[in-house]
Amino acid sequence: MLIRLLRTSLRPYRKPILLLVLLQLLQTSASLYLPTLNADIIDHGVVNGDTGYILGFGGLMLGVSLVQLVCNVGAVYYGARTSAAVGRDLRAAVFDRVQSFSARELGQFGAPSLITRTTNDVQQVQMLVLLTFTLMVSAPIMCVGGIFMALSLDVKLSGVLLAVVPVLGLSVGAIVWRTRPLFRLMQERLDTVNRVLREQITGNRVIRAFVRDEYEQQRFGRANTDLTEVSLSAGRLMALMFPAVIVVINMSSVAVIWFGAMRIDSNGMEIGQLTAFLAYLMQIVMAVMMATFMFMMVPRAEVCAERIQEVLDTSSSVVPPAEPVRTLARRGELELRGADFRYPGAESPVLRGVDLLARPGETTAVIGSTGSGKSTLLGLVPRLFDATSGEVLVDGEDVRRIDQALLARTVGLVPQKPYLFSGTVASNLRYGRPDATDEELWRALEVAQAKDFVSALEGGLDAPVTQGGTNVSGGQRQRLAIARTLVQRPEIYLFDDSFSALDYATDAALRSALSRETEDATVVIVAQRVSTIRDADRIIVLDEGQVVGVGSHHELMAGNETYREIVLSQLTEAEAA
């Protein structure tokens, strides 16, 4: 999976990679040439006392060293640029894929895991690419070149290499094989830590309200300890790698000096050649050590690449139409015909055979007990997920055939949990319509009953909004979310229990102003509060995903037991009448 991901990611950077490999080849060749020059200086200059020879070849060594330095700097430069570009491309690819996901895929992965995959996992792959270009490209050239140069110096002494290289390879391979499953478990437990931390930050008020600080500390402590234990297990195995390599290096150096001294004593080689052979042995072993360092990164990077590729290979269940409808009659008529929806693996569908008709100039309300499928029903219209069977029509066209940008302009959804982005009040209101004027923003705020509190903020429209809108109250957040949709001016307004955080007076004032603002549009309201929907032109009653009643408030009170139970659980008989 890692090779597949890198092959795709590195394809646009073939020219820089070819230049990098050429630079690495030059600098490695220069490194391999230096011990031979050093041997010549010892054998022909130092031994014979020839100062001119020493100075001449010393100058040549300086020139070769300079070439090595320049090529090494160039290789690192291009390696760093390419690896950073690969990391940028992978983050963008994962982000783009996640943006295409429906609510189904987002729920499948979970927000903490997607954050980890976009940041930490991509960083691990990026680091592997950097080390590959700066270390791994030169390591095999150094190893093969060192063996070739050592053989050219003394074939018999090179027999030591036949024992050194396989021992190094086997010891490193055994450690890497043991660590790979630990790295996968490490990334999974990192997801858990992110999830617990995210829950605790988001639910901080709930934790304080129920005095669950100690419990949450213990929960985070368990997740943290689990991650620590796996990290320590992997670290202990990795800690064996360098000592094993160093032991082999020292033993091989002793063997080379021992047998080399015997070769010198029998006039089989010269002192300078032994010095060069030791240098080549060190270069070979250093190449293996560089490869070892790489192998420490490979198992974790491979696990991360699998997790990244899993996201990239997941297709959204909401597929863009092949031949999209790019124009609509712009009437705003909404209709559901026999719409069903079932989550993957669920025993029963959330919605079953839902029929709904909402016309322009009318307010259609949907009410039902918790879990009856009200929010899911609204989610089918803007294609947060697609109906598993049946049809969802806007102006007579199936939403699965409508261009997604056009559908987004036609349908405005105020979600059950309104979310504001970090920025200003104005930037949030213009989120769906960037060209809206300040006058239009103030008009939307006035209808949403938010003008007074926004005017009181320092900066007004330019007042700062924190991530998630945590610096305003829940009711203010809901009103800003409603104003944001009003600025967009869609043909169909969907309010998913968007008035629940408002007091009764504000709720009534907002609905009164909203009815005048949206008199030509189609309005669908999902609500738990009966007072919010009792004046709707049409009320649809849901029970366990099925429509069990359609009519006005008085009609349903007279003839629908489910609706009557809901109303009387909130109002008295006199208030309901």
Side-chain angles (χ1 to χ4, degrees):
M1 194 65 74
L2 177 62
I3 294 173
R4 174 188 167 193
L5 182 67
L6 291 180
R7 187 188 301 123
T8 305
S9 304
L10 294 174
R11 190 173 293 126
Y13 306 102
R14 281 174 290 191
K15 289 183 179 178
I17 292 172
L18 287 174
L19 180 59
L20 182 149
V21 171
L22 178 62
L23 290 171
Q24 289 282 30
L25 180 62
L26 288 174
Q27 75 98 3
T28 307
S29 300
S31 298
L32 291 170
Y33 188 39
L34 288 173
T36 299
L37 290 175
N38 189 44
D40 285 343
I41 289 174
I42 293 172
D43 292 336
H44 301 104
V46 176
V47 173
N48 298 329
D50 189 343
T51 305
Y53 192 91
I54 294 172
L55 291 175
F57 272 79
L60 180 59
M61 285 185 71
L62 286 174
V64 173
S65 298
L66 183 61
V67 171
Q68 178 194 10
L69 176 64
V70 171
C71 292
N72 192 31
V73 170
V76 171
Y77 172 77
Y78 281 106
R81 281 182 61 91
T82 305
S83 63
V86 168
R88 176 200 62 201
D89 295 347
L90 284 176
R91 281 190 295 272
V94 174
F95 178 81
D96 289 345
R97 179 56 60 129
V98 171
Q99 287 295 298
S100 72
F101 284 169
S102 70
R104 179 183 297 183
E105 288 77 41
L106 291 174
Q108 174 187 332
F109 286 103
S113 180
L114 288 173
I115 292 171
T116 305
R117 293 172 199 239
T118 310
T119 53
N120 185 270
D121 288 2
V122 171
Q123 187 178 12
Q124 295 297 327
V125 174
Q126 180 180 333
M127 184 61 67
L128 178 72
V129 173
L130 176 62
L131 292 177
T132 299
F133 289 149
T134 55
L135 298 180
M136 198 60 185
V137 171
S138 60
I141 303 173
M142 183 79 75
C143 186
V144 174
I147 292 172
F148 177 78
M149 296 299 288
L151 286 169
S152 68
L153 288 174
D154 195 289
V155 176
K156 292 182 179 179
L157 196 57
S158 300
V160 175
L161 302 175
L162 295 175
V164 172
V165 176
V167 169
L168 279 175
L170 287 173
S171 58
V172 170
I175 294 172
V176 169
W177 181 74
R178 290 285 303 277
T179 54
R180 190 178 182 283
L182 291 176
F183 280 127
R184 169 171 286 281
L185 188 58
M186 188 188 300
Q187 293 303 111
E188 292 174 355
R189 292 192 175 175
L190 184 62
D191 282 348
T192 304
V193 169
N194 282 342
R195 176 176 54 79
V196 173
L197 185 61
R198 189 170 185 266
E199 287 177 354
Q200 290 174 347
I201 292 172
T202 306
N204 183 264
R205 292 182 180 179
V206 178
I207 295 169
R208 295 287 176 85
F210 286 89
V211 197
R212 300 289 285 174
D213 304 60
E214 187 175 344
Y215 169 76
E216 290 298 332
Q217 287 174 3
Q218 292 173 355
R219 194 160 73 100
F220 182 80
R222 285 194 298 270
N224 201 14
T225 301
D226 290 343
L227 176 60
T228 303
E229 289 175 352
V230 176
S231 301
L232 286 173
S233 299
R236 290 188 191 103
L237 283 172
M238 285 301 178
L240 294 174
M241 195 172 289
F242 279 115
V245 171
I246 290 170
V247 167
V248 175
I249 290 173
N250 292 335
M251 291 179 65
S252 58
S253 298
V254 170
V256 167
I257 294 172
W258 178 272
F259 291 112
M262 295 172 62
R263 294 282 294 158
I264 292 171
D265 188 55
S266 63
N267 294 321
M269 67 185 306
E270 298 180 24
I271 295 174
Q273 289 179 314
L274 178 59
T275 305
F277 193 94
L278 279 170
Y280 286 128
L281 175 64
M282 289 305 297
Q283 286 182 337
I284 293 167
V285 174
M286 284 300 296
V288 175
M289 283 189 68
M290 286 191 289
T292 299
F293 188 67
M294 279 293 302
F295 284 131
M296 292 173 66
M297 298 290 298
V298 167
R300 190 171 186 181
E302 189 175 8
V303 170
C304 293
E306 288 178 5
R307 287 159 53 86
I308 294 168
Q309 197 65 53
E310 187 179 2
V311 175
L312 297 178
D313 288 343
T314 300
S315 299
S316 175
S317 56
V318 176
V319 182
E323 297 181 2
V325 174
R326 300 192 184 277
T327 57
L328 291 172
R330 308 293 283 183
R331 297 188 305 273
E333 186 173 277
L334 170 65
E335 184 178 5
L336 274 71
R337 296 178 183 170
D340 286 13
F341 181 78
R342 179 194 298 267
Y343 286 102
E347 294 182 1
S348 58
V350 180
L351 297 174
R352 289 178 288 180
V354 174
D355 293 317
L356 179 149
L357 181 61
R359 300 186 183 92
E362 295 181 351
T363 298
T364 303
V366 181
I367 195 169
S369 58
T370 302
S372 58
K374 303 184 298 298
S375 296
T376 303
L377 186 150
L378 286 195
L380 298 177
V381 183
R383 297 193 72 194
L384 300 183
F385 24 71
D386 281 339
T388 47
S389 64
E391 293 179 303
V392 180
L393 306 173
V394 170
D395 287 338
E397 294 285 353
D398 194 314
V399 293
R400 286 170 287 200
R401 297 184 57 246
I402 300 174
D403 179 71
Q404 289 181 308
L406 174 60
L407 184 63
R409 291 195 301 270
T410 306
V411 178
L413 171 66
V414 182
Q416 190 172 14
K417 296 179 180 179
Y419 190 88
L420 301 179
F421 297 92
S422 56
T424 64
V425 172
S427 68
N428 274 278
L429 295 182
R430 289 192 174 103
Y431 197 76
R433 190 169 152 232
D435 60 344
T437 64
D438 285 357
E439 290 74 15
E440 290 174 314
L441 300 188
W442 284 116
R443 172 61 183 162
L445 289 170
E446 184 178 5
V447 173
Q449 307 302 301
K451 184 178 179 180
D452 290 344
F453 88 79
V454 171
S455 300
L457 295 174
E458 186 177 352
L461 290 175
D462 295 322
V465 175
T466 59
Q467 180 185 359
T470 53
N471 61 331
V472 296
S473 69
Q476 291 171 337
R477 201 156 49 238
Q478 279 195 336
R479 282 177 277 170
L480 288 175
I482 293 168
R484 178 172 57 193
T485 303
L486 289 170
V487 169
Q488 185 184 347
R489 302 197 66 81
E491 277 70 39
I492 300 173
Y493 290 86
L494 306 177
F495 296 98
D496 186 4
D497 203 11
S498 308
F499 311 98
S500 57
L502 306 179
D503 59 75
Y504 283 95
T506 305
D507 182 3
L510 194 155
R511 283 187 289 108
S512 175
L514 193 63
S515 63
R516 294 191 296 271
E517 187 72 11
T518 62
E519 59 183 358
D520 296 326
T522 302
V523 178
V524 180
I525 299 176
V526 161
Q528 296 278 6
R529 191 186 290 174
V530 173
S531 59
T532 302
I533 56 95
R534 64 185 296 170
D535 296 326
D537 298 291
R538 185 183 301 102
I539 299 174
I540 295 171
V541 185
L542 279 183
D543 185 29
E544 296 184 357
Q546 291 181 299
V547 176
V548 295
V550 179
S552 66
H553 170 73
H554 295 292
E555 290 171 347
L556 291 170
M557 280 296 293
N560 189 279
E561 191 60 33
T562 303
Y563 182 76
R564 185 177 176 81
E565 287 177 5
I566 294 172
V567 172
L568 294 181
S569 68
Q570 301 178 31
L571 306 173
T572 65
E573 188 79 44
E575 289 172 331

